[in-house]
């Protein structure tokens, strides 16, 4: 904690990261780890507006909203460093992955009500267990397993998609998750060394920024693939020649 600045939220009860606490404000424990979630919220808002404007399936609106909830939960966690707020960050992470699993696998699932019902109760059960038991390594292992469950289907989508722009989105997704993971590991494993440096590169904050873009690229790519399945003639357009989004043309009967 910085000298002369008191903690508004009381003693730390959650996991800490490699950023000095309460340096810039008595109300924000980890300043950069908090504000670095803002890009993720803005990107999710852009995706949500596009999903509404072009009348995509509700699952994509919910997906963008879940990205926003996750980023807000992360802000509260890093601003307070309280155990309850950490749970409010970690539980939506699992819920979001369950939503990705549904979006990836539901098109080929013949029993339509079975999958969402199972995933709903699984997510509810996890929330209860996570609230009662302090999961540390178990949470990380569980989250990685959920991520790995998405890989086969994502690879299948990549193989079957011929559009070069959509494949570029998939590559941007891989690049951001790779760079973000390196930043996360660097911040976590070398914190003792980083603490002695004059300048802290804020690896966890960079992880937040990169994962905000990562989620956006993943969502746009999934929207493209789903629109392709539905025969909506999707194209990857670019706002101001840079910012990618999916533009569709539904058949007149729809």
């Amino acid at each position: 904690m910085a000298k002369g600045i008191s903690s508004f939220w009381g003693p730390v009860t959650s996991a800490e990261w490699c950023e000095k606490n309460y340096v810039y404000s008595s109300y924000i424990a980890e300043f950069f780890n908090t504000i670095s979630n803002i890009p993720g919220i803005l990107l999710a808002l852009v995706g949500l507006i596009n999903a509404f404007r072009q009348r995509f399936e509700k699952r994509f609106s919910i997906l963008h909203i879940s990205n926003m909830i996750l980023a807000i939960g992360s802000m509260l966690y890093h601003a307070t460093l309280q155990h309850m707020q950490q749970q409010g960050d970690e539980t939506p992470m699992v819920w979001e992955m369950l939503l990705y699993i549904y979006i990836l696998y539901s098109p080929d699932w013949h029993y339509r009500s079975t999958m969402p019902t199972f995933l709903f109760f699984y997510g509810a059960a996890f929330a209860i267990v996570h609230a009662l038991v302090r999961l540390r390594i178990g949470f990380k292992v569980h989250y990685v397993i959920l991520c790995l469950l998405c890989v086969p289907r994502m690879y299948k989508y990549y193989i079957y998609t011929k559009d070069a722009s959509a494949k570029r989105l998939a590559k941007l997704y891989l690049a951001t998750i790779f760079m973000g993971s390196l930043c996360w590991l660097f911040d976590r494993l070398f914190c003792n060394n980083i603490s002695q440096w004059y300048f802290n590169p804020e690896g966890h904050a960079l992880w937040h920024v990169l994962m905000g873009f990562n989620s956006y690229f993943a969502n746009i790519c999934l929207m493209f693939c789903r629109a392709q399945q539905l025969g909506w003639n999707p194209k990857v357009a670019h706002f101001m020649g840079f910012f990618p989004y999916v533009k569709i043309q539904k058949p007149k009967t729809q």
Side-chain angles (χ1 to χ4, degrees), residues 37-74:
N37 286 284
I38 294 175
I41 296 174
L42 296 177
L43 288 167
L45 181 60
V46 170
L48 179 63
I49 292 171
N50 186 41
F52 273 134
R53 187 172 62 85
Q54 300 198 78
R55 291 186 292 176
F56 269 89
E57 294 171 299
K58 290 180 181 178
R59 66 187 68 182
F60 291 105
S61 298
I62 296 172
L63 181 60
H64 291 299
I65 291 171
S66 75
N67 292 153
M68 295 174 68
I69 291 172
L70 177 57
I72 292 170
S74 180

Side-chain angles (χ1 to χ4, degrees), residues 188-202:
R188 201 64 178 160
L189 299 178
F190 302 104
C191 184
N192 290 335
N193 302 92
I194 294 171
S195 300
Q196 300 175 19
W197 294 0
Y198 177 75
F199 171 75
N200 185 342
E202 304 296 349

Side-chain angles (χ1 to χ4, degrees), residues 42 49 95 115 125 168 173 197 199 207:
L42 296 177
I49 292 171
W95 289 348
M115 179 181 285
R168 193 176 301 116
Y173 164 81
W197 294 0
F199 171 75
W207 152 263

Side-chain angles (χ1 to χ4, degrees), residues 10-221:
V12 173
T13 58
S14 68
E16 294 183 86
W17 300 86
C18 200
E19 180 179 356
K20 291 182 179 180
N21 299 343
Y22 299 103
V23 173
Y24 299 97
S25 169
S26 61
Y27 299 102
I28 302 177
E30 296 177 340
F31 182 79
F32 291 107
N33 286 349
T34 300
I35 65 170
S36 56
N37 286 284
I38 294 175
I41 296 174
L42 296 177
L43 288 167
L45 181 60
V46 170
L48 179 63
I49 292 171
N50 186 41
F52 273 134
R53 187 172 62 85
Q54 300 198 78
R55 291 186 292 176
F56 269 89
E57 294 171 299
K58 290 180 181 178
R59 66 187 68 182
F60 291 105
S61 298
I62 296 172
L63 181 60
H64 291 299
I65 291 171
S66 75
N67 292 153
M68 295 174 68
I69 291 172
L70 177 57
I72 292 170
S74 180
M75 290 184 75
L76 292 173
Y77 161 38
H78 288 287
T80 63
L81 289 181
Q82 298 297 299
H83 176 62
M84 183 179 293
Q85 278 70 30
Q86 182 177 351
Q87 289 178 315
D89 173 38
E90 293 176 345
T91 299
M93 288 173 65
V94 171
W95 289 348
E96 184 181 67
M97 289 313 303
L98 295 176
L99 185 55
Y100 276 117
I101 289 172
Y102 171 72
I103 290 174
L104 284 165
Y105 287 96
S106 62
D108 292 338
W109 192 262
H110 299 294
Y111 306 99
R112 295 194 174 186
S113 62
T114 308
M115 179 181 285
T117 302
F118 171 77
L119 294 176
F120 174 82
F121 282 108
Y122 185 92
F126 172 81
I128 294 171
V129 172
H130 195 36
L132 298 175
V133 182
R134 181 169 288 207
L135 304 174
R136 292 187 175 92
I137 299 298
F139 169 79
K140 295 179 178 65
V141 172
H142 175 245
Y143 185 73
V144 169
I145 290 172
L146 292 178
C147 293
L148 292 176
L149 287 174
C150 296
V151 172
R153 189 68 179 188
M154 293 168 65
Y155 180 71
K156 181 181 178 181
Y157 277 8
Y158 180 81
I159 293 298
Y160 279 88
T161 300
K162 304 301 180 185
D163 187 89
S165 297
K167 285 185 176 289
R168 193 176 301 116
L169 286 174
K171 292 174 182 176
L172 286 170
Y173 164 81
L174 289 174
T176 50
I177 197 170
F178 176 74
M179 291 188 295
S181 297
L182 287 180
C183 291
W184 189 95
L185 288 169
F186 184 78
D187 184 86
R188 201 64 178 160
L189 299 178
F190 302 104
C191 184
N192 290 335
N193 302 92
I194 294 171
S195 300
Q196 300 175 19
W197 294 0
Y198 177 75
F199 171 75
N200 185 342
E202 304 296 349
H204 197 74
L206 290 174
W207 152 263
H208 286 158
V209 174
L210 289 167
M211 291 310 294
F213 280 95
N214 177 263
S215 296
Y216 181 78
F217 293 141
N219 296 355
I220 296 302
C221 193

